[in-house]
Amino acid sequence: MGNGRGGKPGKKCQDGENAPPAEENPEGGGWKAARTWVAGIVGAVLVAAIGAVFTAWLGSRGTDVIDRVSGAPPVTIGHVAVDTDDRDIALREPVTDPEERRILLGAHTTDDERQALLTRRRAAVIDWMNITVVLVGNRSSMRIVDLKPRIVARESVSDGAYLKAASGSGEVGTVELRADLDKAAPRFVTAKDPGVRYFSTKQIDLTRDERVTLSMTISGTEAYYEFDLLATVLAEERAEQLVINGPGGGPFRLTGGSGTYRSFSTTSSLGGWAPMPAAEACELFPKTRKC
């Protein structure tokens, strides 16, 4: 019997069925597998090498670059505090609102309520204040080359209300740096060398996560001052400035003393303040009206 039209006789298996065509091995199959294996090894070595180089770079200068690109400052502010213990305070205006008087004089007022009232009334420490600032390095190497008070507001001394501290004002404690806001260009000096600017002869070097604590006495008797602290920091040959504000995020406040005030309060043993007896007010401020 003849084969189908156009067909050729196929190779028969023993059982008579046509056998499948023989599968041909691709040319160079063994060398291709070897090349793939070698490429994988080389790739792994390159990845490991690049990873080691990146790790070394990240550990030395890479973190600085990342921080700079992200906008992180070379120095961060770890802590800011104003020492108001035993310090008399003056307000710009007397406290006449009933709710505010309750907060000022109330024994059950919370510290947050009282602090909010003092902030609204622009409470200022009288004559001098102690400020503590902790700065933390945020680069592998940086230097604080200058720090100075920057006055943002200057007005007449506060005479609205006088809040006397529990034990009155004492003498200034021993501190590292001092500045007088009454001078035309306030700069920090030391008690031992008050005629020389501290940062004209000294700088403060920090590394990453290293801390420095600055204890400063700021004085001002001729006016009411609102101010911040302006630090100039040198990192990688680039100078940047850092503004240091008060504990609540607003400016520091300091005022000179007044010859008289429109209201007087003294610290209450129950908390807050209490109206000051007229005799005590007249003894402290003889020029007071009705004395």
Side-chain angles (χ1 to χ4, degrees):
M1 177 180 282
N3 292 320
R5 184 179 299 176
K8 294 182 179 180
K11 186 177 181 179
K12 300 288 186 176
C13 295
Q14 291 182 356
D15 56 3
E17 297 292 333
N18 289 333
E23 183 177 349
E24 296 183 1
N25 291 330
E27 183 179 356
W31 169 237
K32 185 175 182 180
R35 279 191 306 176
T36 302
W37 179 79
V38 171
I41 295 296
V42 171
V45 171
L46 287 176
V47 169
I50 293 172
V53 171
F54 177 78
T55 301
W57 172 80
L58 184 64
S60 59
R61 304 300 294 276
T63 306
D64 291 353
V65 174
I66 294 172
D67 287 339
R68 188 172 64 250
V69 171
S70 66
V75 175
T76 55
I77 303 169
H79 178 69
V80 179
V82 176
D83 184 7
T84 57
D85 293 341
D86 301 333
R87 301 296 300 123
D88 298 341
I89 296 173
L91 308 184
R92 297 297 294 171
E93 298 291 336
V95 178
T96 57
D97 178 79
E99 177 61 18
E100 289 192 333
R101 283 188 62 81
R102 180 195 68 80
I103 295 174
L104 183 68
L105 306 177
H108 302 293
T109 302
T110 66
D111 291 339
D112 289 342
E113 287 179 311
R114 190 172 293 113
Q115 185 57 52
L117 169 62
L118 296 178
T119 300
R120 287 194 301 272
R121 293 293 178 169
R122 294 196 289 170
V125 180
I126 298 176
D127 288 345
W128 60 266
M129 66 194 306
N130 282 344
I131 299 174
T132 300
V133 175
V134 177
L135 299 178
V136 184
N138 200 30
R139 294 286 190 277
S140 58
S141 178
M142 46 76 56
R143 170 174 289 186
I144 302 172
V145 297
D146 193 21
L147 179 68
K148 61 185 177 183
R150 183 177 63 170
I151 298 173
V152 296
R154 187 181 191 275
E155 302 177 28
S156 60
V157 297
S158 299
D159 63 355
Y162 175 79
L163 308 182
K164 188 177 185 299
S167 58
S169 300
E171 295 182 358
V172 179
T174 301
V175 294
E176 182 181 0
L177 301 175
R178 302 168 183 260
D180 185 356
L181 299 185
D182 294 331
K183 293 186 176 181
R187 289 292 190 273
F188 282 110
V189 298
T190 62
K192 294 181 179 179
D193 202 354
V196 178
R197 290 194 302 113
Y198 179 83
F199 286 97
S200 65
T201 57
K202 298 182 180 180
Q203 289 81 41
I204 300 173
D205 291 325
L206 293 177
T207 58
R208 182 175 295 277
D209 296 329
E210 188 176 6
R211 298 169 181 264
V212 61
T213 299
L214 302 175
S215 182
M216 296 160 281
T217 293
I218 312 292
S219 63
T221 61
E222 297 179 0
Y224 163 85
Y225 298 100
E226 293 184 356
F227 67 97
D228 54 29
L229 301 174
L230 185 63
T232 302
V233 181
L234 185 65
E236 297 180 351
E237 308 306 322
R238 294 178 52 184
E240 300 185 38
Q241 291 188 320
L242 175 71
V243 176
I244 304 171
N245 287 306
F252 299 98
R253 293 185 174 93
L254 179 68
T255 183
S258 175
T260 183
Y261 294 88
R262 285 172 278 171
S263 68
F264 302 87
S265 298
T266 187
T267 305
S268 171
S269 59
L270 300 177
W273 286 270
M276 181 183 293
E280 183 179 355
C282 289
E283 182 179 354
L284 291 172
F285 303 98
K287 296 181 181 180
T288 299
R289 188 167 61 89
K290 298 182 179 180
C291 286

